[in-house]
Amino acid sequence: MIRLERVRKRFGAHEVLRGVTLSVRAGSTLALLGPSGVGKSVLLKTLIGLLEPDDGEIWVGDLELGGASREAAESVRRTMGYVFQYSALFDSLTVAENILLGLDDRAWRPESPASRARLQECLRWVKLAPEVAPQYPAELSGGMQKRVAIARAIVAEQRYLLYDEPTAGLDPLNAENIARLIRRLQRELGVTSIVVTHDFELAKHVGDQVAILDGGRIVADVPAPALDALDHPMVRAFRHWHQRAEVVG
Amino acid sequence: MSLDLFIPPPPSNVGGFGRRTGAALEAVGAATSLAWACCRALRRGRDYLPLAYAQVWDIGIASLPLVLLVAMISGAVTSEQTGYQYTSTLPPWIVGSVITASVLTELGPLSTGLVLVGRVGARFGAELGAMSVTEQIQALRTVGRDPVVYLVLPRVLGALVAVPALVALADAGGMLAGWAVALIRVPITTSEFAVGARAYFRPFILYLSLIKGAVFGVSIAFIACAAGLRATGGAAGVGRATTMSVVVATVVMMISDLLLTRLLRVFG
């Protein structure tokens, strides 16, 4: 389970998170919906420790990260995988090296038999051919890069997955495939996930639960099937935009 | 579409001196905490030493031709100038002393440092800057890898080992070129050159030359890494980090050269 209590984060004079309270059940997926620039990515980065919250509590399982020792917090954070918006693959490393960098192996031996076996397993999970392993990220399409980023996030058998705009920049077919992959990883690996997105349809498709972040606060938190019926200005705006897009399409 | 659209706007002067001073102090603070993080990470040799070895190769071997070329030209020009200026009034062996003094104390380390600021400092700043703006540094943290251990320490230690070695070779190349030009242009015999060189040479001068190399190497690599890690804002941010690496490393190198030369006067 992941639980945030009154989390605040400020950059200079601008308070991005103004007391966010949120919880995600173990083994479920929360889709965090909201327009660009409201602090969705900041929330994820605060959760994984890339940013320090100014106030509030972050619980992962039974541990409150702010009150825990540095080692305990680090140990919990190593059970989290993070998929960056633009994949953030290391362009000087091959696909295999990128994925295996996520292994909890301080000596980092990408050539060891155990590492090779785990690599093949991860490539199968994200439906990439073994031939991709020696290639460099620049040689891959955006959708394939995203799959490599997901493989890197699950390589150490992480229990929590955080996705930052996982379908950003992808064509509809690739976006659909990534959405299916997120669902499958949750179903078959039992991971607890948070998917940050501004895509209304993706949120409904991948989320068991959908929360809306606006003005630095969670303004709605409902089961995904109830999202359509939610009477909230942002949901109405999303719905209206989506209907127009369908008409134009 | 007009190409003007791709030219970044000039830096804003809003806030002027106060804003710039604040930014400079912030950068110094960040560099200090990076230096402290490097010291704390030194015990993790198993993680960074293999990567540092690769950097020694990359900085040392790959820079050698350019370093030697610049040092040899510097030595040759010094020899030519000394021969022209001094030999009508002073004994010819003085050329050996002047070349030994100028190559070992200044030209060898400084020309090597300036070559490496451009070749290595700019590359480190751009590499780490590009990694910062594409979130690769953050990605490294999320997979449990410390950027200081995996990116900064290998580069700094690689420079610490490679640059003094390059300076030693630059010293030798500069002396050799100076001697060769002296033979042809002054003219002077090899034994006269050797007398002049021995009259000035003391082991401390050679040590100082190598110490300068070590200080320059660490400064260039560290400043470039610090600038790269602080890069923000896409391609323009990478450009700023690269420029910052070159400018700050050059200034720091010159100031440390002045201080180390002062040491020569005090202890030499």
Side-chain angles (χ1 to χ4, degrees):
Chain A
M1 188 199 66
I2 297 175
R3 188 155 57 88
L4 291 91
E5 295 278 354
R6 303 175 307 280
V7 171
R8 289 178 175 274
K9 180 67 190 173
R10 172 187 290 278
F11 295 98
H14 180 44
E15 192 171 31
V16 179
L17 304 179
R18 300 176 178 185
V20 170
T21 297
L22 194 64
S23 98
V24 191
R25 290 189 317 278
S28 72
T29 298
L30 169 83
L32 185 61
L33 194 60
S36 298
V38 291
K40 304 188 296 295
S41 301
V42 170
L43 187 67
L44 278 198
K45 286 176 180 173
T46 305
L47 187 53
I48 204 168
L50 290 173
L51 297 170
E52 284 284 320
D54 296 330
D55 197 12
E57 294 177 357
I58 297 174
W59 291 81
V60 178
D62 296 329
L63 191 74
E64 199 279 296
L65 298 183
S69 68
R70 186 187 170 91
E71 289 75 22
E74 282 298 314
S75 161
V76 166
R77 281 179 171 134
R78 289 191 68 84
T79 65
M80 296 179 171
Y82 196 107
V83 180
F84 283 82
Q85 184 169 357
Y86 297 107
S87 304
L89 299 176
F90 306 108
D91 39 26
S92 58
L93 301 182
T94 63
V95 166
E97 289 166 337
N98 262 286
I99 294 172
L100 293 173
L101 202 62
L103 273 182
D104 185 12
D105 171 16
R106 290 187 60 190
W108 191 49
R109 298 182 192 89
E111 297 307 320
S112 75
S115 296
R116 305 302 299 179
R118 183 63 187 149
L119 170 70
Q120 296 307 325
E121 197 179 349
C122 288
L123 287 174
R124 272 198 301 277
W125 270 110
V126 297
K127 294 191 173 171
L128 282 175
E131 292 74 36
V132 168
Q135 291 186 304
Y136 285 89
E139 300 172 77
L140 307 180
S141 69
M144 290 167 89
Q145 288 186 9
K146 199 70 85 173
R147 284 166 189 275
V148 174
I150 293 174
R152 183 174 66 187
I154 62 170
V155 69
E157 298 180 359
Q158 280 87 345
R159 292 164 53 199
Y160 305 94
L161 288 181
L162 310 177
Y163 300 89
D164 190 357
E165 301 279 7
T167 58
L170 298 183
D171 62 78
L173 189 64
N174 264 315
E176 172 79 24
N177 288 334
I178 294 293
R180 280 202 197 126
L181 178 59
I182 293 171
R183 278 312 266 182
R184 193 161 67 86
L185 291 176
Q186 183 220 344
R187 205 171 49 240
E188 296 180 24
L189 297 180
V191 289
T192 305
S193 312
I194 299 180
V195 180
V196 154
T197 181
H198 60 268
D199 183 338
F200 189 70
E201 289 304 310
L202 177 74
K204 278 200 303 183
H205 184 60
V206 300
D208 297 303
Q209 178 191 353
V210 178
I212 298 176
L213 182 68
D214 193 20
R217 291 189 183 86
I218 299 295
V219 293
D221 187 355
V222 294
L227 186 64
D228 275 328
L230 190 68
D231 187 27
H232 185 275
M234 190 176 294
V235 175
R236 283 199 297 272
F238 274 127
R239 205 182 293 131
H240 176 67
W241 178 86
H242 187 66
Q243 281 162 356
R244 277 189 55 183
E246 275 185 343
V247 169
V248 172
Chain B
M1 186 185 290
S2 164
L3 280 176
D4 292 349
L5 291 174
F6 299 103
I7 298 171
S12 163
N13 282 323
V14 177
F17 181 74
R19 186 180 58 84
R20 282 163 195 265
T21 308
L25 288 176
E26 201 179 306
V28 170
T32 308
S33 51
L34 180 63
W36 175 237
C38 286
C39 294
R40 277 186 301 147
L42 276 174
R43 63 194 158 81
R44 294 178 57 185
R46 207 179 71 155
D47 293 330
Y48 63 73
L49 283 177
L51 300 168
Y53 174 76
Q55 291 293 338
V56 170
W57 183 266
D58 195 34
I59 298 167
I61 303 296
S63 306
L64 186 58
L66 188 58
V67 164
L68 272 183
L69 178 72
V70 173
M72 289 174 85
I73 290 173
S74 305
V77 169
T78 309
S79 185
E80 175 82 30
Q81 286 286 356
T82 311
Y84 175 73
Q85 305 257 356
Y86 293 163
T87 46
S88 57
T89 52
L90 293 168
W93 59 262
I94 205 79
V95 175
S97 293
V98 171
I99 288 178
T100 306
S102 50
V103 168
L104 292 189
T105 56
E106 290 303 327
L107 290 177
L110 212 51
S111 67
T112 305
L114 288 172
V115 165
L116 294 179
V117 163
R119 199 193 162 274
V120 174
R123 182 162 62 84
F124 286 175
E127 266 176 8
L128 269 64
M131 289 183 78
S132 292
V133 301
T134 55
E135 295 187 311
Q136 290 179 51
I137 304 285
Q138 292 193 340
L140 204 57
R141 288 187 200 279
T142 64
V143 296
R145 311 276 170 179
D146 183 352
V148 171
V149 173
Y150 286 87
L151 298 174
V152 180
L153 268 181
R155 284 167 169 79
V156 172
L157 293 179
L160 176 66
V161 174
V163 180
L166 283 173
V167 167
L169 293 169
D171 287 347
M175 291 280 292
L176 203 64
W179 163 77
V181 169
L183 287 188
I184 300 162
R185 301 281 297 163
V186 175
I188 183 175
T189 64
T190 299
S191 55
E192 282 173 327
F193 186 91
V195 166
R198 273 204 294 268
Y200 183 80
F201 181 80
R202 274 153 292 166
F204 178 77
I205 294 165
L206 182 62
Y207 301 152
L208 187 83
S209 190
L210 301 182
I211 290 168
K212 278 187 178 181
V215 172
F216 294 171
V218 168
S219 307
I220 292 165
F222 179 80
I223 289 165
C225 289
L229 288 178
R230 279 173 57 79
T232 51
V238 177
R240 277 194 298 272
T242 310
T243 306
M244 192 63 76
S245 307
V246 171
V247 172
V248 176
T250 305
V251 172
V252 168
M253 207 174 70
M254 290 300 185
I255 292 171
S256 53
D257 184 47
L258 184 67
L259 296 175
L260 288 167
T261 305
R262 179 77 194 133
L263 267 185
L264 173 69
R265 297 274 168 268
V266 174
F267 296 107

